[in-house]
Amino acid sequence: MDIYCIEEFKNEYERLIRKKSYKELEKEIIEHFLLGDPQSIITGKRLNNSADRPYIKKRLDGSGGYRVYFYAVIYNECIYLMFVHPKTGSLGGENITDEAKAMFYKSVLHCIENRLLYKLSHIERERIVFTKIEQ
């Protein structure tokens, strides 16, 4: 399965992992998205009713952990990470608004169409590497 993200996800992820209290986020993303099996990756709360292109809110690291919003194109085996936020800590907060969910959905569709994406990979389970997709 190929894992991509949009700029909003990358920016928020990089902001979070600079904080010591969110150091486990990288491990959580690697284990769930980069090393996870396809069936477990697409689990979570479905925010739309599409069977082959679900928009999902995934809980990572329990109820006080993180929320990752992503779009899956199942027949292409592609995951597009849109946004991540912690529930606790200095940067923690409640779930994002319905307006923000709609904005991320529009943004990911635009980014897929225009190839404004980063491909995620990892180095020996320890570091996430973001590679900008060539247009």
Side-chain angles (χ1 to χ4, degrees):
M1 190 158 263
D2 291 324
I3 311 296
Y4 300 94
C5 75
I6 62 175
E7 188 82 29
E8 289 93 337
F9 176 89
K10 181 179 180 292
N11 290 344
E12 189 63 16
Y13 168 83
E14 289 174 342
R15 182 174 83 106
L16 291 171
I17 63 165
R18 282 188 221 121
K19 297 269 189 191
K20 188 176 182 180
S21 59
Y22 302 122
K23 64 182 167 112
E24 74 282 349
L25 175 59
E26 187 162 39
K27 178 181 86 66
E28 292 289 330
I29 298 287
I30 290 171
E31 287 180 4
H32 182 74
F33 290 101
L34 297 171
L35 298 176
D37 68 270
Q39 290 305 315
S40 70
I41 290 173
I42 61 169
T43 61
K45 182 178 180 185
R46 298 228 175 174
L47 302 176
N48 65 4
N49 292 321
S50 179
D52 61 340
R53 293 176 180 229
Y55 179 8
I56 299 171
K57 176 176 83 171
K58 177 69 178 175
R59 179 186 280 187
L60 293 181
D61 199 25
S63 62
Y66 304 93
R67 299 299 176 268
V68 178
Y69 296 82
F70 67 94
Y71 178 65
V73 181
I74 294 174
Y75 61 87
N76 281 350
E77 295 191 351
C78 293
I79 300 292
Y80 300 93
L81 304 175
M82 294 185 272
F83 191 68
V84 59
H85 73 88
K87 293 294 285 184
T88 60
S90 62
L91 301 176
E94 295 300 314
N95 290 332
I96 63 174
T97 64
D98 289 341
E99 293 79 20
K101 291 174 191 172
M103 182 204 58
F104 288 127
Y105 186 70
K106 289 176 186 175
S107 181
V108 77
L109 295 178
H110 171 79
C111 290
I112 292 168
E113 183 178 316
N114 293 288
R115 301 202 34 91
L116 302 171
L117 300 165
Y118 293 88
K119 183 169 176 130
L120 278 71
S121 57
H122 62 94
I123 299 171
E124 299 175 10
R125 294 182 181 240
E126 292 185 19
R127 303 293 306 169
I128 294 176
V129 177
F130 294 90
T131 304
K132 191 165 180 92
I133 299 298
E134 297 296 322
Q135 292 191 19

